[in-house]
Amino acid sequence: MSTELVAELCEQGLAAETADQLEEARVLYARAWDNAEHAFDRSVAAHYRARVVQSAEERLAWARTSVECAAQVAEENDERIYPLLPTLHITSAAALYEVGDREGAREQYLAAARALRVLDDSAPQAALLQSVIYEGLKATGYVAPGSCREVDDFIELLQRDNALGPLAYVLATRVTGCGTADHGAEFVLALRELHDAGVLSDVQQSALRSAVEAAQTLVLGDPHAVAGASASDETTPVQTVAESTKGDDPFGDGSPNVALRI
């Protein structure tokens, strides 16, 4: 009964929050916390409480509680928590960023990236989560393998051009590999595959070529990445993403402090 009641109270609280009735939302989320019997329920209730508290210190305390409870659930191999982990870590990162702890925020964004890696890229909100993590890591000064001005310029160009499919593809590899040993090589390969897919404009393709060469030099010491990449005659993952994500803006209201629904 605990899980159903907590979920119902959080849904009611979210409706109140959406209607800008924050005091009512606080009451409902507090009731959800009071009725939470399992670590999973406490993690969810604490996350929602973190959304509407009135001080940065309280927000951080509830966000930490949410992550700690989620860790307990994960230790029990309760798969219900896995889709929620990226959002919980993002909320914790945002709270840390708000109080000026950039290093702590960076670690939580990286934890969100690791949690997102185990989910399918087609999972609900995957593109939004990727974009928030990407912006959050940038804000906290994280330098990923292959990071360079050319890569940043290329991503910013895709954002300006509203090239949502290619942008989602790049961010998926850029974010979900963060903190892993092979991240740099995987990212360069993704850029090469995007180059070969032929889904970009001439200007975007030129910017991508510069990004590939710069990233390849940083990661593997070889600037000639594009020439060695082989395009497939079949529909590539890049082309699939380009078609499937049209109209879905992964950046939306994205910022390092965005509050996400789970």
Side-chain angles (χ1 to χ4, degrees), residues 76-137:
E76 299 169 1
N77 295 318
D78 187 336
E79 295 183 357
R80 293 178 300 168
I81 201 64
Y82 297 145
L84 309 186
L85 286 175
T87 297
L88 302 185
H89 285 298
I90 286 172
T91 300
S92 179
L96 287 161
Y97 188 86
E98 187 177 14
V99 300
D101 186 353
R102 289 165 60 92
E103 184 175 347
R106 185 184 310 127
E107 290 305 312
Q108 283 299 300
Y109 280 123
L110 287 171
R114 290 192 296 271
L116 192 59
R117 191 176 178 87
V118 304
L119 301 181
D120 191 287
D121 285 342
S122 63
Q125 293 191 324
L128 175 58
L129 292 168
Q130 289 158 0
S131 68
V132 173
I133 294 169
Y134 171 74
E135 294 293 345
L137 287 172

Side-chain angles (χ1 to χ4, degrees), residues 46-248:
H47 165 76
Y48 279 106
R49 294 200 73 172
R51 292 165 60 107
V52 295
V53 291
Q54 295 177 298
S55 74
E57 290 73 19
E58 282 185 284
R59 186 161 20 260
L60 178 56
W62 282 113
R64 279 177 168 163
T65 297
S66 178
V67 169
E68 290 168 359
C69 290
Q72 296 176 28
V73 181
E75 288 178 1
E76 299 169 1
N77 295 318
D78 187 336
E79 295 183 357
R80 293 178 300 168
I81 201 64
Y82 297 145
L84 309 186
L85 286 175
T87 297
L88 302 185
H89 285 298
I90 286 172
T91 300
S92 179
L96 287 161
Y97 188 86
E98 187 177 14
V99 300
D101 186 353
R102 289 165 60 92
E103 184 175 347
R106 185 184 310 127
E107 290 305 312
Q108 283 299 300
Y109 280 123
L110 287 171
R114 290 192 296 271
L116 192 59
R117 191 176 178 87
V118 304
L119 301 181
D120 191 287
D121 285 342
S122 63
Q125 293 191 324
L128 175 58
L129 292 168
Q130 289 158 0
S131 68
V132 173
I133 294 169
Y134 171 74
E135 294 293 345
L137 287 172
K138 278 179 56 179
T140 58
Y142 177 74
V143 180
S147 293
C148 55
R149 177 182 55 79
E150 290 84 356
V151 168
D152 290 341
D153 288 348
F154 173 62
I155 292 175
E156 290 173 6
L157 176 62
L158 294 181
Q159 293 173 358
R160 290 196 303 271
D161 290 351
N162 203 32
L164 303 183
L167 179 60
Y169 178 80
V170 172
L171 288 182
T173 308
R174 192 60 170 157
V175 167
T176 56
C178 283
T180 62
D182 297 329
H183 180 213
E186 289 176 354
F187 181 60
V188 169
L189 178 59
L191 292 181
R192 291 171 57 171
E193 290 177 345
L194 178 57
H195 180 276
D196 285 349
V199 297
L200 302 177
S201 69
D202 290 344
V203 173
Q204 293 165 353
Q205 193 80 340
S206 176
L208 174 56
R209 187 175 298 108
S210 297
V212 169
E213 292 177 355
Q216 178 85 358
T217 299
L218 286 172
V219 174
L220 301 175
D222 178 8
H224 304 296
V226 175
S230 58
S232 171
D233 293 332
E234 304 295 330
T235 299
T236 69
V238 182
Q239 291 169 316
T240 301
V241 169
E243 291 301 318
S244 65
T245 59
K246 285 180 179 177
D248 297 326

